[in-house]
């Protein structure tokens, strides 16, 4: 992604998203998120608070290598979302907090639901430049859907209660960023002790 957008004069808080992933520009740490490669022929949406016109040229020398470099991610998720049912999406860049400590594990799954329908799910991933385990959650829906969050601890094979109030879905809304992540708060019990550090 950093090579594909190298010619773009990005500003902190800019976001680029595809149908199934996104990344935010953090300044010194570059682009951070679940979208790591851009591919010719795919559609992308770019958001910037800067009113300056943005232009970039996708480097064609990289386009032939994208498929070879892109690793297939094994799906270990408990829940699945049908992203093709919805035209709109919003993003939640989150960390998970348990007993005032950030959970530091890639065995935690964060999911969004409207009622009993999964609207997006992601495993936490380690972001080395920020030394954080973050979830880059794409949420699919229609305006005004109530969105609740759920957490599943794959290490303990159990669902964990979330204390956050429901969010209201709004197309292209952005909750949290790598520099200022949305905090998902759990109860005080249920998380495997070795998954989090003070």
């Amino acid at each position: 992604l950093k090579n594909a957008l190298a010619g773009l004069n990005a500003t902190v808080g800019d976001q680029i998203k595809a149908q199934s992933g996104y990344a935010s520009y953090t300044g010194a740490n570059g682009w951070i998120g679940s979208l790591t490669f851009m591919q010719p022929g795919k559609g992308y949406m770019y958001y910037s608070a800067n009113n300056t016109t943005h232009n970039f040229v996708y480097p064609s020398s990289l386009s032939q290598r994208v498929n070879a470099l892109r690793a297939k991610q094994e799906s270990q998720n408990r829940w699945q979302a049908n992203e093709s049912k919805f035209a709109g999406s919003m993003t939640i860049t989150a960390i998970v907090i348990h007993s005032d400590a950030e959970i530091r594990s890639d065995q935690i799954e964060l999911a969004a639901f409207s009622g009993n329908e999964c609207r997006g799910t992601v495993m936490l991933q380690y972001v080395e430049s920020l030394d954080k385990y973050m979830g880059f959650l794409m949420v699919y829906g229609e305006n005004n859907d109530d969105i609740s969050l759920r957490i599943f601890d794959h290490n303990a094979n159990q669902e964990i209660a979330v204390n956050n109030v429901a969010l209201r879905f709004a197309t292209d809304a952005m909750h949290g960023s790598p520099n200022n992540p949305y905090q998902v708060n759990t109860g005080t019990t249920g998380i495997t002790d070795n998954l989090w550090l003070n």
Side-chain angles (χ1 to χ4, degrees), residues 85-184:
K85 284 179 61 177
F86 303 97
S89 66
M90 70 179 191
T91 60
I92 303 175
T93 305
I95 57 175
V96 179
I97 303 295
H98 172 69
S99 295
D100 298 323
E102 179 187 334
I103 293 178
R104 299 179 60 79
S105 171
D106 60 5
Q107 294 300 302
I108 298 295
E109 181 176 354
L110 174 63
F113 280 78
S114 179
N116 290 319
E117 182 180 27
C118 182
R119 295 295 185 84
T121 184
V122 69
M123 299 295 291
L124 297 189
Q125 66 184 58
Y126 182 63
V127 178
E128 185 176 9
S129 60
L130 298 176
D131 190 30
K132 290 185 177 295
Y133 283 82
M134 306 185 78
F136 299 96
L137 181 61
M138 294 281 294
V139 181
Y140 307 96
E142 299 171 345
N143 282 333
N144 299 320
D145 287 344
D146 283 331
I147 302 294
S148 60
L149 299 177
R150 295 187 190 177
I151 294 173
F152 190 80
D153 179 352
H154 284 264
N155 197 49
N157 196 32
Q158 66 180 11
E159 188 171 343
I160 307 302
V162 173
N163 291 338
N164 293 59
V165 297
L167 296 168
R168 188 61 56 94
F169 181 88
T171 299
D172 298 329
M174 295 181 293
H175 297 276
S177 68
N179 293 334
N180 186 23
Y182 181 84
Q183 292 190 5
V184 179

Side-chain angles (χ1 to χ4, degrees), residues 39-60:
Q39 295 177 278
K42 301 276 187 177
Y44 299 91
M45 182 176 288
Y46 190 86
Y47 167 82
S48 180
N50 186 341
N51 290 331
T52 304
T53 300
H54 291 72
N55 294 300
F56 79 101
V57 177
Y58 187 89
S60 59

Side-chain angles (χ1 to χ4, degrees), residues 1 4 34-39 44 58 65-66 69-71:
L1 188 66
S34 56
L35 179 66
T36 54
F37 291 95
M38 291 183 70
Q39 295 177 278
Y44 299 91
Y58 187 89
R65 297 178 14 194
V66 167
L69 292 172
R70 187 173 185 170

